[in-house]
Amino acid sequence: MSAFVPDGPHRIPADNPAEVAAVLTLTGERTIPDLDIENYWFRRHEVVYERLAPRCAGREVLEAGCGEGYGADLIATVARRVIAVDYDEAAVAHVRARYPRVEVMRANLAELPLPDASVDVVVNFQVIEHLWDQGQFVRECARVLRPAGLLMMSTPNRITFSPGRDTPINPFHTRELNAEELTELLLDGGFGEVSMSGLFHGSTLQEMDARHGGSIIDAQIERAVADAPWPPELVADVAAVCTADFDLVPIGGSRDIDDSLDLVALAVRA
């Protein structure tokens, strides 16, 4: 999920002519790869897929809310099978064209189109904050998981993403959560064990923050909102961000979970 909408439509370059009809525009509702202007947000999401993909090795996986599909495809490098679901028709068409090893279908996440106890892992990254009935969705995740199945979820930390607000800053979000609220949601939805981690800027991104007035995030948002050109140094820094620039720290670790950028939860079906 991007925090802002850059000026004008940006399209993912198609790898071959057959994909032209299935490319996606950057709307701010989801992040997409291959765009320098979007690279910070893309890497911030991609890092969670990279760090957690090993938990999917040899298993049957559902990604609920796959967006552009890059994450489902990454998981497909290690999983036995990956099923991807999204409500957006354009996203489903794009995933089908670009990522043939992912089985994709269109569906409402409140009614997952899978039988009971049919998958080992459910992946849900940067999606729960978009949903109107979050409790129903979590119960659906528990339903489709096999006994002791694993739900892997990430979401922006409400405390840092929309500081001091009762309603989300991002117009595409319905309800954002802090660590305590996310844990409660998962426990109430049929999960008996929840572990929480927080995503933070590592040392390189902290240096970038210092170069851009204290926050490289705010520097991007301010210019996007003002429809102002980006200075060359901001363009270069955003384009240079990689997944290694983020730290994933478990709750109780060296950093306060309430200061994290994103929350990452692992929940075991009760």
Side-chain angles (χ1 to χ4, degrees), residues 112-195:
L112 293 173
L114 275 72
D116 295 355
S118 57
V119 294
D120 303 303
V121 181
V122 174
V123 174
N124 181 246
F125 293 158
Q126 305 295 319
V127 173
I128 189 74
E129 66 276 4
H130 296 265
L131 304 181
W132 289 104
D133 194 340
Q134 296 175 344
Q136 168 63 17
F137 168 67
V138 172
R139 289 189 293 273
E140 277 291 279
C141 291
R143 180 185 65 78
V144 302
L145 279 168
R146 295 180 175 124
L150 180 65
L151 170 62
M152 306 196 302
M153 180 178 287
S154 73
T155 189
N157 178 10
R158 175 175 62 78
I159 296 173
T160 57
F161 204 80
S162 297
R165 290 175 58 99
D166 294 329
T167 57
I169 290 175
N170 192 301
F172 295 108
H173 292 183
T174 60
R175 178 196 176 204
E176 295 168 355
L177 304 156
N178 63 25
E180 182 178 350
E181 292 162 343
L182 179 56
T183 300
E184 181 180 4
L185 179 71
L186 295 173
L187 292 175
D188 289 347
F191 292 87
E193 179 185 335
V194 178
S195 59

